Amino acid sequence: MISIYTNRTVLILVTLLLTACGADNGSRTPGVSVSFEAMPSPATAAVMTSGAKTIVSGANTIILTKAYVTITNIALQTDCAGSPIFSLAPIIDMLLPTAYAHTEATPTSTGEPFVIDVLATDNVAISVGQVEPLPADYCGASISLSAADADANNLPIGESVPNDMVGITLYLEGTYNGGNAFQAQTGATLPDRNMLLTPMLSLSASNKSPTVTIEFNYDTWFDGVDPAAINNTILFQNMLNSLQRG
Amino acid sequence: MFLSPVAYACSTCMVGDPTQTLMGAEKPYKDRLRFSLDIMGRDESVGQAGVNQNNIDEVRTSFNLAWAPSQRMMLSVGVPIVDRQLDMATLAQEEVTSLGDVTINIKTFMQEKENFVRNMYGLLAGVRLPTATEQKVNGAPLDFDVQPGTGATTFNVGAWYAHYRFPWLFYISSAYHIANEGDQQFQAGDALVLNASVQYAANHKLSFPIGLEARWSDKDNFAGVVEENSGGVLAYIAPGVIYTLKEDLLINFAVKVPVVEELNGFHEEGSIITFGITYDFDLHK
């Protein structure tokens, strides 16, 4: 025969159990992440709003009416000592053929192509990817520029750009010195721009989600370039040189 | 020695053996009903330090009820509440407090005699049901390592043997575990578990068990991809103490220290601390 005492004990236990079963929750606190942003930002010229942008380069006045660059990957680096070209733009001596590479995302690399409209409003950054690396000190970032694929973000669809930038790394269109039209484009893979991060990007519990901003100093692109006979090597070299940490 | 009516109703009196037994090691009598509340704390790390290591801390509170429909069988059910915290290499942190997977076990007693026996043995069988809810945040499941259950149904079968010779108790059991596919396409590897313990009673209120708890398991896999940091051999030595607070109410404490850790890949398990109370309901006054 079950006693009253036993009944009460069972009741208390069942109540305890049901109360405990009601506790059902999960939570997540994000870990380390680095956001990458990019923006057009003139090195010396006045800041402009979106639309055609005027560049004065030596005796030439260039009006850019279309300007797109494809970033296919940004990778954080922990070892910069062995690379003499870190912080300097690489010297272009060979352009690799078009590669529609959708590189693989890793904890330290975005792996996601993104087309930058350089004629957007200056100094307004847009997100071009995020990585979730381990806490560590990162001395540099390697920026890969190559042809966009059909899955690239921010393709300029409907902007009258050849093939909507698919298969294109850099596309420029505009006029120089009072209405002379010019166009420049490549689908080649450019050498990586290895950018030194100074001060070093130290990721830790006290610095869990910093942002790295990449500036395109587009007003330097035509330095030493004759718009009447554009030398792609110099133009592309200038473009790589113009990528700076914001 | 004269036994009062109340004393005669005590659980050890009912089985004619003063050995203090925790849940699972008891002698049955018809309608024996026991409850235990066990709290277990453990930690574990999976993955390579500085690369992809996940550290898991768990506190598991289990409500267990065991009932003997006859002197030949004990049925038990365990309901765990799981609190898990996962610290990832990226400093991300996930935490879950939830109902875990409920277990139902049956234990048979196959020795020839029913009363006043010293040697007992039988078969074990059980099932762990996928009662834990897969935990999500904003619709995305949390990491599998922090989930309160596997989402799989796990079966086990085995055998046991016990020798009761007060103040000594020797107990050994072994069971083979096999599971179907669970959440996140997880497939646990088969496992063979061995428990052996020796217990010495200093008096009728205080006992000192020491156990060996060992487990061999095959590697797990996710969607057919083998998880290299899983499976292997793990053995704990587990000294403890059992004290009778009052009639039919035991309190116990044990520390389980890993002595063999031949686990595959990057996988370490820490010590386990357990604390519990066991109570025999008095149904026979």
Side-chain angles (χ1 to χ4, degrees):
Chain A
M1 182 179 169
I2 298 174
S3 68
I4 292 173
Y5 176 73
T6 300
N7 275 335
R8 283 179 181 165
T9 308
V10 170
L11 187 63
I12 289 167
L13 291 174
V14 168
T15 305
L16 267 175
L17 182 58
L18 290 177
T19 304
C21 288
D24 185 48
N25 63 71
S27 63
R28 184 174 204 277
T29 306
V32 167
S33 67
V34 178
S35 299
F36 293 104
E37 294 181 338
M39 63 184 187
S41 182
T44 56
V47 169
M48 288 175 264
T49 56
S50 65
K53 291 183 177 176
T54 301
I55 299 168
V56 177
S57 179
N60 299 310
T61 299
I62 294 113
I63 299 174
L64 281 175
T65 54
K66 289 189 173 67
Y68 297 95
V69 182
T70 307
I71 293 177
T72 44
N73 189 41
I74 304 172
L76 289 173
Q77 307 290 343
T78 53
D79 183 10
C80 305
S83 175
I85 60 170
F86 249 100
S87 84
L88 298 174
I91 306 301
I92 294 178
D93 54 3
M94 183 179 69
L95 298 178
L96 302 175
T98 300
Y100 297 84
H102 209 101
T103 51
E104 197 170 331
T106 72
T108 54
S109 59
T110 58
E112 196 170 13
F114 205 103
V115 176
I116 309 295
D117 179 5
V118 180
L119 300 189
T121 301
D122 289 341
N123 294 340
V124 175
I126 57 169
S127 173
V128 292
Q130 189 181 59
V131 293
E132 296 184 354
L134 293 174
D137 293 335
Y138 294 90
C139 57
S142 294
I143 303 160
S144 300
L145 304 173
S146 58
D149 63 12
D151 294 328
N153 293 293
N154 209 33
L155 288 171
I157 295 167
E159 297 295 330
S160 301
V161 175
N163 210 23
D164 295 333
M165 277 297 281
V166 174
I168 297 175
T169 307
L170 171 71
Y171 182 80
L172 299 180
E173 193 179 301
T175 60
Y176 64 93
N177 299 339
N180 301 301
F182 76 93
Q183 190 203 57
Q185 75 174 68
T186 182
T189 298
L190 303 181
D192 284 354
R193 171 73 165 102
N194 295 317
M195 195 165 66
L196 202 60
L197 298 175
T198 309
M200 196 175 282
L201 191 65
S202 295
L203 303 178
S204 64
S206 60
N207 186 32
K208 284 173 75 174
S209 50
T211 298
V212 173
T213 303
I214 300 160
E215 291 182 353
F216 285 81
N217 297 158
Y218 62 86
D219 57 334
T220 64
W221 287 3
F222 289 89
D223 292 352
V225 174
D226 178 2
I230 291 177
N231 180 323
N232 277 351
T233 301
I234 299 174
L235 177 65
F236 299 159
Q237 185 74 61
N238 285 347
M239 193 274 291
L240 285 173
N241 283 339
S242 81
L243 296 181
Q244 302 292 333
R245 185 183 184 187
Chain B
M1 184 177 179
F2 297 98
L3 298 174
S4 70
V6 172
Y8 183 72
C10 79
S11 57
T12 51
C13 313
M14 290 294 288
V15 296
D17 186 337
T19 304
Q20 293 169 298
T21 54
L22 297 180
M23 192 76 104
E26 62 280 283
K27 289 182 173 179
Y29 54 84
K30 182 168 169 45
D31 284 333
R32 183 170 195 178
L33 182 64
R34 304 190 92 191
F35 167 81
S36 77
L37 171 65
D38 297 302
I39 300 171
M40 181 269 288
R42 62 181 278 271
D43 64 88
E44 173 184 10
S45 68
V46 181
Q48 192 173 359
V51 179
N52 61 351
Q53 189 175 69
N54 283 349
N55 293 307
I56 301 143
D57 285 299
E58 175 179 328
V59 175
R60 179 177 290 255
T61 305
S62 299
F63 300 83
N64 306 294
L65 201 62
W67 171 62
S70 73
Q71 279 186 282
R72 292 293 186 182
M73 184 184 294
M74 288 290 292
L75 300 173
S76 66
V77 59
V79 181
I81 304 299
V82 178
D83 182 88
R84 272 191 176 182
Q85 182 175 307
L86 170 65
D87 293 298
M88 300 183 187
T90 60
L91 303 182
Q93 194 176 72
E94 295 181 350
E95 187 165 5
V96 161
T97 302
S98 176
L99 172 70
D101 288 341
V102 169
T103 56
I104 298 171
N105 290 294
I106 181 169
K107 179 180 179 183
T108 64
F109 296 78
M110 301 170 71
Q111 72 286 342
E112 192 176 340
K113 293 198 308 181
E114 289 188 343
N115 298 313
F116 304 106
V117 286
R118 285 184 166 170
N119 294 300
M120 303 180 90
Y121 54 87
L123 299 176
L124 302 166
V127 60
R128 191 174 70 207
L129 302 168
T131 50
T133 307
E134 185 180 35
Q135 298 295 306
K136 301 177 180 179
V137 171
N138 298 326
L142 295 177
D143 192 283
F144 191 82
D145 283 340
V146 80
Q147 295 292 344
T150 62
T153 302
T154 306
F155 298 94
N156 74 81
V157 291
W160 67 277
Y161 168 80
H163 179 71
Y164 299 84
R165 183 183 286 268
F166 190 81
W168 293 96
L169 165 62
F170 303 92
Y171 190 92
I172 186 167
S173 70
S174 183
Y176 193 80
H177 296 244
I178 187 167
N180 66 4
E181 186 177 282
D183 294 333
Q184 302 181 25
Q185 296 181 283
F186 173 76
Q187 176 63 63
D190 291 359
L192 180 64
V193 175
L194 172 75
N195 291 316
S197 68
V198 178
Q199 179 178 312
Y200 175 76
N203 54 50
H204 285 189
K205 282 194 155 189
L206 182 65
S207 296
F208 299 98
I210 183 165
L212 174 71
E213 299 185 5
R215 182 188 77 209
W216 165 87
S217 60
D218 205 351
K219 288 180 179 175
D220 305 329
N221 72 67
F222 286 91
V225 178
V226 172
E227 168 56 57
E228 294 298 337
N229 300 322
S230 67
V233 176
L234 179 66
Y236 293 94
I237 198 85
V241 59
I242 303 171
Y243 182 72
T244 300
L245 279 178
K246 55 173 290 197
E247 186 180 284
D248 291 333
L249 180 61
L250 305 177
I251 186 169
N252 68 282
F253 175 80
V255 178
K256 302 178 182 181
V257 180
V259 289
V260 177
E261 269 197 279
E262 296 295 330
L263 298 170
N264 298 319
F266 298 97
H267 186 187
E268 287 184 19
E269 301 230 10
S271 296
I272 299 173
I273 294 174
T274 64
F275 170 80
I277 56 170
T278 305
Y279 181 69
D280 266 274
F281 290 102
D282 183 3
L283 306 184
H284 292 80
K285 280 184 180 176

